[in-house]
Amino acid sequence: MEEKKDSKGLLIGIIAFVAGVIFVSYGAISLLNSNKTPTPDDNNQEVEQDTDEPSVSITEDGVKNWLTDNAKFIEYFTDYNKDFDLGSMDPVSISNVFGWYFVFCYNHGEGEALSNSKYTSKYTMSIKDVDTFMSKYLAIPATIIDVEKIDFSKDVFNFTKDDNNYYVEVAATGLDPIQNCVLNDVNVVSDSDVEVTYGVMELGKTCENKSDECYTKKRKLTLRKADDGFTILSAADVKEEADNNQSNEENK
């Protein structure tokens, strides 16, 4: 009988000892896990979760330099009041942007002199260069361009194309400005949202302090960072707060 009691007691002791070891081990493991140094992956996940700020890799000076380098192209959207919305994918609007670039910004050389025609010169632009222009400035394929939809005056410009090239016959390439425009503000919200505001003044007028009193109105261009420069997303007159308030009162 004593042997059975001793065996039974020994067995209970062993079971208790094992249970104790398991309990202590579990506690130690839990403590280690709670104090574990985050791995690089953990850090990345925390950064991704905590970062709500938009990505900004461009500077105001970088935007200004691009605007200066492309001043003649930007003039189409500012000086000539040409509204534009890339998101609408309007063939007329996009074809007009291309037409302006072709005539006034593309390096097409002296061109072909015309005789016995109301046009004086004919210029050529290869399909490859058209694709490059569309990709660089508008980030859309050139297939949307329709030369028949370019609504520049036929008395001055005549656009055509074939399988290899685009062509424009011109009576004159000079175009007098209709107003003065000055860069008023650059607001870099993010890489995909850059707001550029121009002040518009009467022709011949200048304004050194860039005050609102100098302007007849403002025009805003919205840009998006691209691999080479910026993509033009939109261009339109700025809706002044007074106009918005008047509209709200009328709606009431």
Side-chain angles (χ1 to χ4, degrees), residues 12-238:
I12 293 174
I14 291 172
I15 292 173
F17 175 79
V18 172
V21 170
I22 293 173
F23 179 81
V24 171
S25 298
Y26 177 80
I29 292 171
S30 298
L31 182 61
L32 288 173
N33 285 336
S34 66
N35 294 328
K36 184 183 70 171
T37 301
T39 64
D41 289 339
D42 292 333
N43 286 331
N44 290 337
Q45 289 178 0
E46 289 178 4
V47 169
E48 290 175 0
Q49 292 174 356
D50 296 338
T51 302
D52 294 328
E53 296 297 322
S55 172
V56 178
S57 63
I58 53 181
T59 64
E60 181 177 325
D61 285 342
V63 177
K64 289 180 178 179
N65 289 337
W66 183 84
L67 293 171
T68 299
D69 292 342
N70 295 275
K72 191 63 180 178
F73 184 55
I74 298 301
E75 186 179 285
Y76 174 75
F77 303 97
T78 55
D79 188 21
Y80 295 96
N81 305 319
K82 295 298 183 179
D83 289 355
F84 179 74
D85 180 7
L86 183 62
S88 70
M89 297 291 283
D90 174 28
V92 174
S93 179
I94 292 172
S95 298
N96 280 339
V97 170
F98 160 73
W100 175 273
Y101 176 82
F102 187 2
V103 174
F104 296 104
C105 306
Y106 179 62
N107 183 16
H108 42 50
E110 294 183 2
E112 174 188 350
L114 301 178
S115 59
N116 301 321
S117 170
K118 69 177 182 180
Y119 303 108
T120 60
S121 302
K122 182 177 181 180
Y123 300 104
T124 302
M125 187 174 181
S126 69
I127 294 288
K128 179 181 179 181
D129 286 349
V130 175
D131 289 336
T132 299
F133 159 73
M134 293 294 288
S135 174
K136 181 177 180 180
Y137 290 98
L138 303 178
I140 55 176
T143 52
I144 196 172
I145 296 173
D146 185 345
V147 293
E148 293 184 0
K149 293 185 182 298
I150 299 176
D151 58 11
F152 297 177
S153 172
K154 286 287 186 180
D155 290 333
V156 184
F157 307 107
N158 181 44
F159 293 88
T160 56
K161 72 178 291 280
D162 58 27
D163 292 339
N164 299 310
N165 301 296
Y166 283 75
Y167 307 94
V168 59
E169 296 170 299
V170 302
T173 56
L175 198 61
D176 295 329
I178 61 173
Q179 58 199 9
N180 278 354
C181 296
V182 59
L183 181 61
N184 182 75
D185 182 57
V186 174
N187 180 22
V188 180
V189 180
S190 68
D191 285 352
S192 58
D193 185 5
V194 180
E195 298 175 348
V196 179
T197 307
Y198 284 82
V200 179
M201 297 170 287
E202 296 176 1
L203 194 62
K205 185 177 181 180
T206 59
C207 181
E208 294 181 359
N209 61 3
K210 297 183 180 180
S211 64
D212 288 350
E213 289 75 15
C214 293
Y215 305 139
T216 56
K217 65 177 179 179
K218 292 181 181 178
R219 301 233 347 131
K220 184 173 75 173
L221 275 64
T222 304
L223 314 174
R224 179 180 64 210
K225 183 180 180 297
D227 292 337
D228 181 16
F230 294 88
T231 297
I232 298 175
L233 301 179
S234 65
D237 288 352
V238 174

